[in-house]
Amino acid sequence: TMTIHSEEHIVDVHVRSGVYSSDTIFDYTHGYIATRLFSRNACFIMKIKKDLIPELQEIGRLAFERQTMQDVYSPNNVWTLFQAGNSRLGHLKDWILYGKHIENLCTGLPLYE
């Protein structure tokens, strides 16, 4: 499911699919995306690159298209590969940078940037 909070410039995406379940937040105000993978008990954070990630209004339009048309091809699909590396727990300076919504999603979990 996807929830768009236009007034807060936030998009919440919830995937419920057994071991592949995840929650993702697009925080356009702070410019970051965070994905919490439940199977890995970790949070992955990346900076929003405007040339690769659709704008807030575009995400809403794409979601509507996908909902109304069962099979939609979009050239805007983005795949992200996170390299294995060192994780760390978030600190106050991280939460100021990433914002309250990502803090609520990722607090207490290892962060991978």
Side-chain angles (χ1 to χ4, degrees):
T1 61
M2 178 184 289
T3 307
I4 299 173
H5 305 277
S6 297
E7 66 285 347
E8 296 182 45
H9 304 287
I10 299 289
V11 176
D12 290 321
V13 179
H14 307 283
V15 175
R16 297 297 173 256
S17 182
V19 14
Y20 301 108
S21 295
S22 65
D23 282 344
T24 299
I25 292 181
F26 292 72
D27 187 330
Y28 285 91
T29 300
H30 292 90
Y32 286 92
I33 300 170
T35 299
R36 178 180 181 174
L37 299 177
F38 293 104
S39 65
R40 302 204 63 188
N41 202 28
C43 243
F44 297 88
I45 298 175
M46 69 180 239
K47 186 112 177 98
I48 292 176
K49 293 185 178 181
K50 296 187 186 284
D51 54 332
L52 298 176
I53 305 298
E55 293 290 330
L56 182 66
Q57 296 79 10
E58 181 72 5
I59 283 184
R61 186 186 66 74
L62 291 171
F64 179 75
E65 282 179 3
R66 185 159 182 94
Q67 184 177 13
T68 57
M69 300 166 60
Q70 292 299 327
D71 220 7
V72 172
Y73 166 76
S74 173
N76 296 323
N77 289 335
V78 176
W79 291 92
T80 303
L81 175 66
F82 288 92
Q83 299 295 327
N86 296 328
S87 69
R88 58 188 170 74
L89 291 176
H91 298 291
L92 179 61
K93 66 181 176 105
D94 295 317
W95 303 135
I96 292 171
L97 178 66
Y98 300 139
K100 198 63 152 173
H101 295 283
I102 291 177
E103 176 183 5
N104 290 340
L105 180 69
C106 298
T107 295
L109 297 174
L111 301 180
Y112 295 89
E113 202 170 45

